[in-house]
Amino acid sequence: MSSTTFKIAALAGDGIGPEVMRAALQVLRAVEKKFALSFAITEAPVGWAGIDAAGQALPDATLALCRASDAILFGSVGLPDRDPTIPKEQRPERAALLRLRKEFSLFANLRPVQLPKVLAHSCPLRPERQGDGLDLLVVRELTGGMYFGQPKKTEEIPGGHRAIDTMVYTTPEIERIAHVGFQAARLRRKKLTSIDKANVLENGILWRETVTRIGKQYADVTLEHMFVDNAAMQLMLRPTQFDVVLCENMFGDILSDEAAALAGSLGMLPSASLGATSGGVTFGLYEPAGGTAPDIAGKNLANPIAQILSAALMLRYSFQREDAARAIEAAVGKAIADGLRTGDIYNPADATAQKVGTTAMADAIAAAV
Ligand code: NAD
């Protein structure tokens, strides 16, 4: 056994959450064996499951568990058809997820987008724009910028109203997200494209200057700058040019969704939200990019890959176990290469593809680890 035991809070949530979480935990157990790691995994309710169990979307006991853990593996929360009368601030999406982001100061959001060549049919772009497959990572600042800057208000003026949102960034906020971006690039193809609007925004000038200065500490990473409007276009025209894409909050919100569309299915997309590092462990919350998919929940139809790859990100960014993260990613790659497809990525025209359910996909990936 390894001398370190990593403490994981597993919060499956609602809809497909429990089935895809089961799959991810099965894969983590396989990794634990193979790499002689030790995971202390504790499951707890969140979302409607939290409301049903303890009257709160984020029960006190669940929050306490998260505080005592090194990382949170999160499923998804929210069921659109459940009690529409419950106030907005008590609904799971806000009361659980936004609360956790705030509680743990999760300032960096990482969204890898990978599309292996064999899944070219899932991508809305023509095959010749996909190169040998897509593989990029959007790193988004999550706690600053226009979404949180003050003043933020709507006031009356003669003839109507005036709405004010304020875009604010400080040097330390840009520095810490830049470090996350450069370090992520080091684990990949060592290229970072920093996105801004330095031709128009004061924030853009400070962003560009700060990222350039931090970049000097990462001489092995190639840094380039791109205006956000051009980046939106380049993602559609030539997505293979990108490795790590570093963005402030609002630009990252928009570009990460645009990039996600390239993968074709939400069922393939993991994400990481990172907070502070202490004692070699970076606190993080890891979750699929998609939601609770009520349309397919409980039917063994959900693609567990987004949740399984979220567990891989946890190993990479929270526990600094690149070897184990890569083993999971390789196992996912093998299952796909072997032709296994859940419904969301199945192409009936592909004679080598075999349609499988959540559990069969999980079994194959765990076995490949
Ligand atoms: P959704 O992501 O749940 O579903 C959109 C579509 O993608 C559906 O057709 C669904 O079947 C499909 N899909 C998503 N994940 C899949 C998977 N793993 N495998 C196969 N198909 C998958 O989005 P929605 O329907 O707009 O939202 C449903 C609920 O989820 C809402 O209550 C919403 O608020 C919530 N939600 C939660 C989160 C979160 O917890 N982070 C994120 C987004 C939405």
Side-chain angles (χ1 to χ4, degrees):
M1 287 286 272
S2 141
S3 56
T4 313
T5 296
F6 295 114
K7 296 196 281 295
I8 301 167
L11 317 184
D14 308 315
I16 61 168
E19 13 182 347
V20 293
M21 181 63 81
R22 214 172 299 127
L25 298 186
Q26 181 184 350
V27 172
L28 277 175
R29 289 304 181 200
V31 165
E32 194 176 33
K33 255 197 212 142
K34 170 158 180 171
F35 290 89
L37 283 163
S38 165
F39 301 132
I41 301 173
T42 311
E43 299 187 55
V46 72
W48 285 103
I51 292 174
D52 291 341
Q56 287 172 296
L58 183 64
D60 294 340
T62 299
L63 181 58
L65 169 72
C66 294
R67 287 208 183 101
S69 301
D70 298 317
I72 303 169
L73 189 59
F74 195 91
S76 307
V77 293
L79 294 171
D81 292 342
R82 287 265 327 238
D83 190 1
T85 63
I86 180 172
K88 258 196 322 237
E89 49 292 346
Q90 286 170 30
R91 294 193 78 81
E93 292 88 335
R94 267 199 201 203
L97 207 49
L98 293 189
R99 170 101 193 273
L100 283 170
R101 279 190 191 150
K102 202 162 162 210
E103 184 76 27
F104 294 101
S105 304
L106 303 173
F107 68 91
N109 183 241
L110 282 68
R111 298 244 307 242
V113 174
Q114 271 167 336
L115 182 82
K117 210 171 166 53
V118 287
L119 294 184
H121 69 275
S122 299
C123 178
L125 298 186
R126 290 202 298 268
E128 62 267 29
R129 293 205 193 280
Q130 301 175 28
D132 290 330
L134 302 180
D135 181 7
L136 60 94
L137 171 70
V138 180
V139 175
R140 166 188 170 194
E141 202 289 328
L142 205 55
T143 53
M146 183 101 89
Y147 294 174
F148 297 98
Q150 294 294 335
K152 185 179 203 54
K153 60 180 175 182
T154 302
E155 58 194 18
E156 279 190 37
I157 56 165
H161 290 82
R162 172 165 59 189
I164 300 171
D165 295 284
T166 307
M167 192 176 205
V168 183
Y169 270 104
T170 62
T171 310
E173 283 176 305
I174 304 171
E175 285 174 350
R176 68 178 180 174
I177 191 72
H179 282 294
V180 172
F182 282 110
Q183 282 163 20
R186 268 194 173 155
L187 293 174
R188 298 172 47 93
R189 300 191 301 278
K190 300 191 171 54
K191 178 178 174 190
L192 184 138
T193 306
S194 175
I195 309 300
D196 63 45
K197 190 74 183 163
N199 49 346
V200 179
L201 298 175
E202 291 295 316
N203 271 273
I205 297 169
L206 184 65
W207 182 273
R208 190 172 285 219
E209 283 172 4
T210 309
V211 173
T212 302
R213 178 166 47 74
I214 296 300
K216 298 205 163 48
Q217 299 173 38
Y218 299 86
D220 53 327
V221 177
T222 304
L223 167 65
E224 68 173 22
H225 301 278
M226 195 178 278
F227 295 137
V228 61
D229 41 352
N230 186 28
M233 222 163 55
Q234 292 300 324
L235 271 173
M236 292 297 107
L237 295 176
R238 208 162 60 81
T240 52
Q241 72 187 282
F242 295 108
D243 180 11
V244 173
V245 180
L246 176 69
C247 307
E248 65 85 43
N249 200 346
M250 182 173 62
F251 296 164
D253 190 7
I254 298 166
L255 292 187
S256 63
D257 269 19
E258 189 189 355
L262 297 173
S265 172
L266 284 170
M268 296 293 289
L269 292 168
S271 81
S273 299
L274 308 182
T277 303
S278 99
V281 174
T282 299
F283 192 88
L285 182 148
Y286 300 85
E287 57 172 335
T292 57
D295 51 331
I296 55 167
K299 297 178 181 158
N300 197 33
L301 291 175
N303 187 343
I305 289 179
Q307 189 78 52
I308 290 169
L309 291 177
S310 298
L313 296 183
M314 176 176 73
L315 294 168
R316 169 170 298 129
Y317 295 114
S318 274
F319 306 154
Q320 273 81 49
R321 287 302 302 247
E322 182 65 22
D323 53 349
R326 286 195 186 192
I328 293 182
E329 289 160 354
V332 168
K334 179 170 187 313
I336 299 280
D338 287 347
L340 301 193
R341 306 279 186 272
T342 44
D344 57 315
I345 53 172
Y346 179 68
N347 174 14
D350 179 354
T352 63
Q354 181 196 347
K355 200 171 190 176
V356 298
T358 313
T359 50
M361 183 64 100
D363 289 346
I365 295 169
V369 164

